[in-house]
Amino acid sequence: MIKKFLRVAALSLVLSPLALPSAAAGAAPSAPAAAEVLGLADAVTRIPVADESRDGYTRDKFRHWNTGLDPADGCNTRAEVLLSEAVVAPEVAAGCKLSGGLWVSYYDGQEVNDPAKLDIDHMVPLAEAWDSGASSWTPARREAYANDQGAAASLVAVTARTNRSKADQDPAQWMPPLPDAHCRYVGEWTATKLRWGLAADRDEIQALAVYADVCESTVVHYTPAP
């Protein structure tokens, strides 16, 4: 399956994390985590390798969508991501109901003008995150992961068809149908794993390493999650 997806055009990946929440009033501010900038091949070697287990997983152990970055705007995380990624801004009605607008789903290159036809994909799916280390997290940290807008790659608006085709598969099992998206996708997957300190199994690491050999110009920027 790996060979099937090696028809790629190397793309550079620049992820621009958003500002992290400020320290609580009266508490000494902690030093912000340092941003890391790595070539894809080096970044892949930083992902710890471990066997995966789905024991105990249910999707409701990751609370989403919550009130998002701005609880006062009336929009949940899904709507905020749609607003931030729109090429043409949609109309926003009462209750943060979106209509119109334009998005480009980079997994398949499709233009979408109906927000109902888009899914917000967790770059590393919730089940995969559970398998890779999130099973030991607190509920609050799993909620933070499921609603992470602190890095541009964590949540992405894509066509429902491609998101559902991906399901909970890793890059050893699934890649975007658009070959030109492969290097960006592998870079964003790697950045998300590193941001959240998630592991990878041997097949996944092998697949990432093969893509890294092809995607020589892909650069991974990530900041460890607070």
Side-chain angles (χ1 to χ4, degrees):
M1 180 167 289
I2 294 172
K3 291 182 180 179
K4 179 180 178 181
F5 296 111
L6 289 183
R7 298 171 299 166
V8 298
L11 302 175
S12 295
L13 169 67
V14 179
L15 306 181
S16 302
L18 303 177
L20 298 176
S22 59
S30 57
E36 297 279 354
V37 182
L38 301 167
L40 178 57
D42 287 342
V44 168
T45 67
R46 294 201 182 188
I47 301 175
V49 181
D51 293 335
E52 296 182 353
S53 173
R54 196 154 298 182
D55 290 350
Y57 170 75
T58 59
R59 190 171 175 82
D60 61 9
K61 290 184 177 177
F62 292 80
R63 178 174 175 255
H64 65 288
W65 305 109
N66 65 18
T67 55
L69 292 177
D70 182 6
D73 68 5
C75 298
N76 64 14
T77 300
R78 169 186 161 80
E80 288 184 353
V81 172
L82 288 172
L83 288 167
S84 70
E85 295 193 3
V87 177
V88 176
E91 297 291 330
V92 184
C96 200
K97 181 177 176 58
L98 307 183
S99 60
L102 180 68
W103 293 262
V104 177
S105 168
Y106 93 77
Y107 289 1
D108 53 9
Q110 296 298 305
E111 293 187 353
V112 180
N113 57 18
D114 179 357
K117 294 182 179 179
L118 292 162
D119 281 356
I120 304 302
D121 183 35
H122 292 92
M123 174 55 58
V124 174
L126 302 181
E128 168 69 20
W130 177 273
D131 299 349
S132 307
S135 60
S136 65
W137 294 351
T138 64
R141 188 161 183 81
R142 287 197 288 269
E143 179 179 351
Y145 177 85
N147 297 274
D148 182 21
Q149 295 185 68
S154 295
L155 301 171
V156 56
V158 295
T159 54
R161 179 180 64 255
T162 54
N163 184 46
R164 293 165 198 182
S165 171
K166 171 182 173 178
D168 58 10
Q169 299 177 94
D170 69 34
Q173 304 158 321
W174 185 90
M175 288 290 286
L178 184 66
D180 285 354
H182 291 179
C183 289
R184 174 180 172 182
Y185 183 80
V186 172
E188 293 188 343
W189 180 281
T190 300
T192 304
K193 285 256 169 163
L194 292 173
R195 172 169 168 78
W196 287 94
L198 295 169
D201 64 22
R202 286 169 177 77
D203 288 345
E204 180 185 341
I205 281 290
Q206 182 181 17
L208 294 174
V210 170
Y211 284 109
D213 285 343
V214 176
C215 302
E216 294 179 337
S217 66
T218 299
V219 177
V220 175
H221 291 214
Y222 75 95
T223 301

